Amino acid sequence: MKKKGYILAIESSCDDTSAAVIKDGVVYSNIISNQAIHQQYGGVVPELASRAHQKNIIPTVDAALKKANIGLENLLAIACTSGPGLMGSLLVGISFAKSLSMALEIPFIEVNHMQGHIFAHFVKEENTKIPEFPFLCLTVSGGHTQIVKVKSFNELEIIGQTIDDAAGEAFDKIGKMLKLPYPAGPHIDRLAKLGENIFKFNKPKIKELDFSFSGLKTSVLYFLQKELKNNINFIEENLNNLCSSAQNTIIDILLEKIMLASEITEIKRIAIAGGVSANSGLRNRLLELGKEKELDIFIPNLAYTTDNAAMIGVVGEMKFKHNMFSEITLTPNTKNNF
Ligand code: KG4
Ligand code: ZN
């Protein structure tokens, strides 16, 4: 029997080139080509990211089709991240997706990256719990920190967001001060498990549901400068405790606001998404809080926390079912809105 009905999804908004094959919410492949080149610079260099996407995109798509054991003739539509993200990176994915959809004469569907992160919760897998609408999603990544009220697959309202750095950026910048490699989030997570939360850093006083992380970064910097004057090896000798303390402060800030959002909206279903939702401290503390406050907590499968095309495919397929196709003249959207 001829295989039919697969969506090819492409994600190239930042420094990972990813392609996935999805059908009926099931992920048949999800290939991610990481770009190691940025590590030596301690952050993503946009120009290098675009070039690496250009090099990776065809092999990544090929690998995704092979792993799913399908060919181009089995595709129903092509979904692609249209933003937010880095302009040069987005252009590579979008140009590729538009060209392929034209060549195959199948629809091209744009997907918002942040909507993708949230709908990673809708990948159909054994033992995963899919949230019912409405729910709140704390979307925490390298570029964003948002509380989103999700009323349906296409009705999303940002009810709180960062006024400066993102939570992932706070992990990465504090990690840099601690001389950890980029991206520092996973390293801080690992070392925090070996340390204790004994150092106190400033927490921001920001109104309502908005966040701020730049003050924390400065607080860690001044603390380190002071301690290093007395002991040049302070960082090395206290690394685990520094990681635990910084991580717990970031989690305190995040949890305080998502709990306030739940109180204000009276929504008791709470999900987390984005790269920082891979953090074991955040996952555990939110689960504990959920039990204590009788909330329904949704923790994503680790494979779909950091950037991946499967999450883009999930939204792409939902849009396909609603005939929400995009124009071939579409250009990247680098704004933060949905
Ligand atoms: O969602 P993502 O892959 O890319 C963006 O859309 O930005 O998120 C990347 C961010 C980085 O800042 C990285 O340090 C952070 O997610 N991250 C983590 C963990 N894994 C990735 N932060 C804390 N703990 C982790 N385990
Ligand atoms: Zn992301």
Side-chain angles (χ1 to χ4, degrees), residues 113 117 141-143 168-169 171-172 183-186 189 274-276 278-279 305-307:
H113 182 78
H117 272 303
S141 70
E169 219 175 333
F171 271 103
D172 296 337
D189 188 355
V276 178
N279 186 269
T305 52
T306 45
D307 289 349

Side-chain angles (χ1 to χ4, degrees), residues 7-8 43 69 115 120 135 154 219 235 295 335:
I7 306 275
L8 171 68
N69 198 19
Q115 191 178 4
F135 65 92
N154 218 24
S219 167
I235 292 179
L295 303 167
K335 296 199 191 80

